Amino acid sequence: MTEKIDKYKVQAALVRSFFDAFSHGVIESQVEDRNEKTTPQSVKKLMLEHYEHIAPAFFDIMFFPLAAMNYKYEEIAALAREAQQRGDDMMALVRTACGNEAYYNAMVEEYKRNFSMLLAGKYLSNADHLEGYVRKAKEETEASVDSDRAIELTVRVVMFAYVRGLRQTGEGARFDRSVHLGQVHPLRGATLFRLMLDAMNILLLDEAVDFADAEAADLASLFLKVCQTQHNFTVMTDEMDRTYSELMKE
């Protein structure tokens, strides 16, 4: 039997993962010097340069994951068609995907929090994210997402957002199968793995994991540490493989 994760926690993890992955994709494609990649100056400069690209990328990538938390898969296409017939703009479409006003408002707050940090040249740490993400109001009924679905949606956001960031400069995302964790390995595999570790940390745990003493080469052990169970690890790697296949067809 799979576990459940609070819907606000999942939504916040999805939003944070988008900004983390998209921004690193942009930076990876444009900054050659490793020491300059995540300096406040580089992050702020590149986010300002790509300011107008962030919202469209967010809406393109996030509509399905947000909707999948609130609707059955067969309902999502109908929602999109109805929104198109009404002439809804991107913001109205995402409002529908969020399910209700409370989740929409929480999504907007998470969007602002992550975006404003990047525009200041900073990244939210896992600890700061977990401490400050929007939680349900006392009067709200508790709602949750199946943990398998939450993991799958988070993996998709990380990979699609990272590749979208890489492609902002017209560079195609290249893949390499020479190393094995599942079967998914972009050329810049180290960055993707770090993004995925952080994403699983904030999705599946309530506190930030310290990787300072971890063996960098032992990826499986690192992922088991944040995934907590072999089942969650398998769900993650299986979805990485499926998403890889989709990206290769684009």
Side-chain angles (χ1 to χ4, degrees), residues 5-15 62-73 75-76 97-99 103-104 107 143-146 149-150 153-154 203:
I5 304 175
D6 175 76
K7 191 179 288 187
Y8 280 101
K9 182 178 177 67
V10 177
Q11 182 172 265
L14 292 174
V15 175
M62 293 292 290
F63 170 75
F64 174 79
L66 292 172
M69 291 197 299
N70 300 295
Y71 304 96
K72 296 178 181 178
Y73 286 130
E75 296 174 329
I76 297 175
C98 288
Y103 288 114
Y104 172 75
M107 183 278 296
S144 60
V145 180
D146 180 272
R149 176 175 285 191
L153 295 175
T154 303
L203 176 69

Side-chain angles (χ1 to χ4, degrees), residues 70 95 97 144 155 174 219:
N70 300 295
R95 186 188 294 269
S144 60
V155 167
R174 294 166 291 177
L219 286 171

Side-chain angles (χ1 to χ4, degrees), residues 159 162-163 166-167 172-178 183-188 192 240 243-245 247-248:
M159 294 183 70
Y162 180 54
V163 169
L166 287 173
R167 290 174 175 169
R174 294 166 291 177
F175 292 85
D176 175 13
R177 292 177 180 269
S178 60
Q183 296 176 4
V184 186
H185 296 281
L187 180 67
R188 301 171 178 84
L192 177 64
M240 288 176 75
T243 304
Y244 168 84
S245 296
L247 288 167
M248 287 297 290

Side-chain angles (χ1 to χ4, degrees), residues 112-133:
K112 291 178 179 177
R113 183 165 76 125
N114 283 273
F115 200 0
S116 63
M117 287 290 288
L118 289 174
L119 291 176
K122 303 175 183 177
Y123 282 95
L124 272 176
S125 68
N126 289 354
D128 287 342
H129 170 85
L130 288 167
E131 181 180 353
Y133 73 85

Side-chain angles (χ1 to χ4, degrees), residues 184-238:
V184 186
H185 296 281
L187 180 67
R188 301 171 178 84
T191 299
L192 177 64
F193 292 146
R194 189 203 63 75
L195 292 168
M196 202 66 72
L197 282 167
D198 284 346
M200 292 301 108
N201 186 169
I202 63 172
L203 176 69
L204 298 173
L205 300 171
D206 292 323
E207 61 183 21
V209 171
D210 182 6
F211 296 115
D213 297 326
E215 290 289 339
D218 190 3
L219 286 171
S221 294
L222 296 183
F223 275 104
L224 281 171
K225 190 172 185 178
V226 292
C227 289
Q228 296 189 287
T229 68
Q230 182 65 49
H231 174 81
N232 288 343
F233 176 81
T234 300
V235 172
M236 181 196 72
T237 53
D238 285 351

